[in-house]
Amino acid sequence: MAPVDLVPLFGTTGTVRLGRRPPHRRGPIGAISIEFRVVLLAYLLLAGTALAQFGGTPSGTSSGVVAPEFPDGLEWLNSDRPLELAEMRGKIVLLDFLTYGCINCIHVIPDLHALEEKYADELVVIGVHSAKFEHERDTENIRRFAERYGVDHPIVNDRDFAIWRDYGIYAWPSSVLIDPEGRVAGHHAGEGVFEVFDRTISAMVDRFEARGTLERRKLDLSDGRSAQPDSPLRFPGKVLADQPGNRLFIADTNHHRIVVTTLDGRVLDVIGSGEAGFIDGAANEARFLRPRGMALSGGDTLYVADTGNHSIRRIDLASGEVSTAAGSGEQEYIRSFRQARPATRGLNSPWDLAVHGGQLYIAMAGQHQLWRFDPAEELLYLFAGSGREALLDGPLEHAGLNQPSGLASDGTAMYVADSEASAIRRVGLGAHATVTTLVGIGLFEFGDIDGTGNRVRLQHPEGIAAQDGAIYIADTYNNKIKRFDPESGTTSTVLGSGERGWRDGAEPLFYEPAGISIAGNSLFIADTNNHAVRVADLDSGSVRTLLLDDARGLLAQSAPAEFFGQTVELPAQQVAPGAGSLALEIVLPENYKTNTLAPLSIEWQSDGASVTVDPGRARTDIHEPEYPLALEFPAHFSPGDAEVTAELRIYYCREGAEALCLVDRVRLSVPVSVTEGAGKVVELTRRPPPVPATGL
């Protein structure tokens, strides 16, 4: 996409408060203000495009209007204190206005990362989260989103649209650029942020460096984050149950892999190295990027929506070999054609998949359409959706969809979780088929209301499953599982209270469940923000958490090569030359115990010859350890200095509620000086911090 210039957001004599009011959210059902309609129109027309709203300033000039300061009393993430624009004078500041359920806002994140990397010394990015959905106004929910997408710059929760109004914003995503002297330089609405801002920031660097007002000092923004224990799954996005094959496929989304288990949780295989990337090959070498939906074809081929790579991957389940069925690894808006060779095109955030009649159907969330892949012809076909984000019924290619995120088929139709419209759609599969709306009435109409017809409200559903004439819905932002009866048109809650949390039994709690699949009378649920798979008995309504039996350590073997855990630096120690030992003590948090389904692993390393560990003990796996655990490892010490590290992977569960099982990855690091007259033992102790009730 060609670069688009920026121009000042405000005129030199204009008022700062030019923004329209945010969408009306608190009035009676169905109430829409004039301002609401204007925002809706802007959202429909601008989301996903690189339209500059006010022209261009490639020379890096500014408007002359001082950027409004952040209001007091707002909550901040990735910072241990409220920030002020005044403390960022000397830096170029980019404000990213987003709402986290918006696919176009998600598309902006890689561009922001690229800009932060390129202009590490000159640029500060600050997220301004102005929520569309009520659920998105909660700071803890925003925190989980930031963790899921690796957003580590500061984010302010603009829950009441105060900053939105101050800066005249009217569409998600939007960006505002502020110069080192604190003036607004320009505004951009839509995606394509890197192309738009790269040359502008470059020009600003030259201009303000020449003026002497650009500073390359390191800002102490104090991210305020603490390392959290990992878990066997990380933000699992989708599940697929295969009852005939006694298999469950889990999209372990933030571990960038597919986990294959039996229906009762015994780990059979892990496909993907665990490192983010776009690489075909053997199961332990292939790489994915935040995979989500899956579909099984013929029992031995698994298709995966590799969402972050904008591709469809194909797995030969017999060999574990991964290949690319469609997509180039790059995002592309494929609006100008109705069919194409898939290897020549990039896709656009494929979110879920379904197989019917030998054809693979794709929920293309990024451009609000459904596509069809014919494996025999190796061709992609547009199936449904005009590409315009709208809740519009009618003939397939004229209908409007809204970030479709879940697919299921009952053999006669395709059912769609149409997330941004909080709707459920039915898409016919026969000749002269049409799209019809079963639940939902508009892009900004959402809530948590059961019932019949237009009275029903959902909130950003992402998962859907069909069985025995019923449609089950993962009502994601309501933390519920609901059931739609096509005959009566009635929607009812079957699982969950609406409160976020983690509780098994007859009154379960969930946290943003995003994928569901049915095998017999069991409903498997990707309970995304709880990092778990939950299993509901559809007869009794009782829910349990699926414990992963990983006796062979397959999940650990497929862990990322790069270390992402917590590093603990211990005080330097002295040790005498000769034979000695490394002593390790591990103590679990209070009210936690051993997870017997996976081994404790310990790996020793030294960066110098002064300390060498017995090669036979350098990597140790201990099955069913009992805590507190005290171990000693033979070592030899020679005069000099070395940095000794112990990398631990500790599996443990909460007592009385084994459903909450965690993995603590930690690297203990201690400087060691080998000198005469010291002791013979280097001591390392790991005491994991207390773990909150949700395990995060």
Side-chain angles (χ1 to χ4, degrees):
M1 185 175 294
V4 181
D5 294 336
L6 300 169
V7 290
L9 174 57
F10 310 114
T12 55
T13 59
T15 177
V16 167
R17 295 183 180 273
L18 295 179
R20 301 169 177 84
R21 291 170 53 199
H24 179 84
R25 292 175 287 120
R26 295 187 176 275
I29 295 296
I32 302 178
S33 67
I34 296 298
E35 292 84 358
F36 179 101
R37 294 186 184 277
V38 172
V39 172
L40 174 59
L41 179 61
Y43 183 72
L44 294 177
L45 293 179
L46 301 179
T49 67
L51 295 179
Q53 304 308 314
F54 299 91
T57 58
S59 63
T61 57
S62 299
S63 65
V65 173
V66 175
E69 188 56 87
F70 300 126
D72 294 333
L74 301 183
E75 294 180 326
W76 286 79
L77 298 89
N78 296 340
S79 174
D80 61 3
R81 68 183 192 279
L83 300 179
E84 297 180 351
L85 285 174
E87 66 183 292
M88 298 173 204
R89 291 292 173 88
K91 296 291 185 182
I92 300 168
V93 178
L94 194 160
L95 303 182
D96 170 42
F97 287 84
L98 74 153
T99 183
Y100 79 73
C102 160
I103 189 64
N104 309 104
C105 301
I106 293 172
H107 288 165
V108 167
I109 294 172
D111 282 1
L112 296 177
H113 287 330
L115 288 170
E116 288 175 299
E117 182 177 354
K118 183 171 182 179
Y119 299 100
D121 296 331
E122 300 90 3
L123 178 68
V124 173
V125 175
I126 295 178
V128 182
H129 192 279
S130 307
K132 169 186 172 181
F133 290 98
E134 194 72 19
H135 177 83
E136 295 172 335
R137 301 176 73 226
D138 186 281
T139 299
E140 182 59 28
N141 297 341
I142 304 169
R143 188 186 313 278
R144 302 301 173 93
F145 159 79
E147 182 184 358
R148 191 184 312 182
Y149 286 97
V151 178
D152 54 10
H153 54 247
I155 303 174
V156 57
N157 185 357
D158 184 33
R159 65 176 49 158
D160 294 318
F161 287 77
I163 305 174
W164 171 288
R165 288 192 297 267
D166 283 349
Y167 281 87
I169 304 302
Y170 54 85
W172 297 284
S174 286
S175 307
V176 173
L177 202 61
I178 300 170
D179 72 24
E181 297 174 359
R183 295 187 299 270
V184 172
H187 166 245
H188 168 76
E191 298 181 21
V193 168
F194 184 86
E195 290 84 353
V196 171
F197 284 103
D198 182 26
R199 64 174 180 171
T200 303
I201 293 173
S202 179
M204 291 175 72
V205 168
D206 293 341
R207 176 181 175 84
F208 289 96
E209 190 166 45
R211 289 166 64 108
T213 54
L214 179 72
E215 297 185 11
R216 288 189 166 89
R217 61 186 170 89
K218 178 69 174 177
L219 287 182
D220 178 19
L221 299 182
S222 300
D223 66 20
R225 293 173 297 164
S226 59
Q228 302 292 347
D230 200 357
S231 50
L233 303 176
R234 200 69 177 162
F235 293 107
K238 297 288 184 182
V239 287
L240 176 64
D242 170 29
Q243 186 175 16
N246 186 29
R247 294 177 295 188
L248 180 69
F249 301 96
I250 305 168
D252 190 6
T253 302
N254 269 49
H255 285 151
H256 313 292
R257 63 190 182 183
I258 305 300
V259 175
V260 186
T261 75
T262 60
L263 293 177
D264 61 2
R266 180 167 56 88
V267 178
L268 301 174
D269 203 359
V270 174
I271 302 169
S273 71
E275 293 185 71
F278 185 52
I279 298 176
D280 289 341
N284 63 345
E285 298 174 349
R287 296 186 185 184
F288 302 86
L289 181 58
R290 296 191 180 93
R292 285 186 172 80
M294 298 160 290
L296 191 60
S297 178
D300 56 4
T301 299
L302 182 73
Y303 289 99
V304 178
D306 192 5
T307 307
N309 281 321
H310 307 284
S311 298
I312 306 299
R313 313 295 289 280
R314 179 166 38 206
I315 301 173
D316 183 329
L317 293 172
S319 66
E321 191 76 13
V322 177
S323 59
T324 299
S328 64
E330 301 292 333
Q331 180 197 2
E332 181 178 350
Y333 274 87
I334 45 179
R335 299 187 193 275
S336 60
F337 66 96
R338 287 180 169 80
Q339 74 175 58
R341 293 286 174 189
T344 66
R345 311 299 304 214
L347 305 185
N348 197 340
S349 289
W351 213 269
D352 202 8
L353 305 173
V355 167
H356 173 75
Q359 303 290 292
L360 180 70
Y361 292 84
I362 306 166
M364 202 80 77
Q367 61 183 53
H368 318 299
Q369 291 177 323
L370 305 184
W371 283 73
R372 174 173 62 87
F373 172 65
D374 188 322
E377 295 181 340
E378 292 285 333
L379 284 175
L380 274 171
Y381 294 91
L382 173 62
F383 176 58
S386 65
R388 179 174 180 262
E389 189 170 12
L391 191 68
L392 179 65
D393 290 346
L396 295 182
E397 293 189 18
H398 297 284
L401 299 172
N402 309 266
Q403 199 172 313
S405 302
L407 281 180
S409 175
D410 65 358
T412 61
M414 199 66 63
Y415 294 89
V416 183
D418 209 18
S419 298
E420 275 296 294
S422 299
I424 302 299
R425 318 292 291 280
R426 182 186 186 278
V427 184
L429 293 170
H432 310 296
T434 61
V435 176
T436 56
T437 299
L438 304 177
V439 176
I441 64 171
L443 259 169
F444 287 82
E445 294 291 346
F446 51 84
D448 185 9
I449 302 175
D450 292 347
T452 303
N454 287 342
R455 181 175 183 274
V456 176
R457 295 291 183 273
L458 306 174
Q459 191 176 184
H460 207 275
E462 294 185 19
I464 194 165
Q467 179 170 282
D468 298 333
I471 307 300
Y472 291 88
I473 304 162
D475 194 4
T476 305
Y477 284 4
N478 283 325
N479 303 310
K480 288 184 174 183
I481 306 299
K482 296 188 177 183
R483 183 182 185 275
F484 173 75
D485 182 352
E487 288 192 7
S488 66
T490 299
T491 301
S492 58
T493 297
V494 294
L495 300 168
S497 68
E499 177 187 356
R500 72 176 184 225
W502 186 334
R503 184 170 64 210
D504 284 342
E507 298 180 350
L509 296 178
F510 306 94
Y511 194 175
E512 290 195 14
I516 53 177
S517 185
I518 300 175
N521 70 337
S522 295
L523 178 69
F524 292 84
I525 303 163
D527 193 6
T528 302
N529 278 3
N530 278 326
H531 310 299
V533 173
R534 318 288 292 282
V535 187
D537 185 312
L538 291 176
D539 295 331
S540 67
S542 181
V543 171
R544 62 184 174 87
T545 298
L546 185 70
L547 294 181
L548 299 182
D549 182 351
D550 186 29
R552 292 188 291 161
L554 294 176
L555 298 176
Q557 292 172 11
S558 298
E562 184 179 353
F563 183 76
F564 291 104
Q566 181 183 14
T567 296
V568 178
E569 296 181 356
L570 301 174
Q573 298 186 41
Q574 292 185 338
V575 64
S581 64
L582 301 168
L584 177 65
E585 181 185 7
I586 305 174
V587 182
L588 292 184
E590 187 177 356
N591 298 322
Y592 281 78
K593 64 180 182 180
T594 301
N595 178 355
T596 60
L597 300 180
L600 160 69
S601 67
I602 305 167
E603 185 170 358
W604 294 95
Q605 293 181 348
S606 174
D607 68 353
S610 297
V611 180
T612 57
V613 184
D614 181 346
R617 302 290 302 279
R619 168 62 192 259
T620 301
D621 291 332
I622 301 175
H623 293 267
E624 301 187 20
E626 294 185 4
Y627 299 99
L629 181 66
L631 301 167
E632 287 206 14
F633 297 83
H636 189 274
F637 303 102
S638 302
D641 298 323
E643 186 86 11
V644 177
T645 60
E647 290 195 6
L648 312 179
R649 183 187 298 267
I650 310 169
Y651 292 79
Y652 56 105
C653 298
R654 188 170 62 202
E655 291 181 345
E658 287 187 283
L660 181 55
C661 290
L662 304 169
V663 181
D664 193 13
R665 289 190 180 97
V666 63
R667 174 181 289 162
L668 301 177
S669 175
V670 56
V672 177
S673 294
V674 182
T675 58
E676 295 289 348
K680 289 289 189 178
V681 179
V682 175
E683 298 182 355
L684 301 93
T685 300
R686 170 56 177 163
R687 300 176 184 273
V691 182
T694 60
L696 294 174

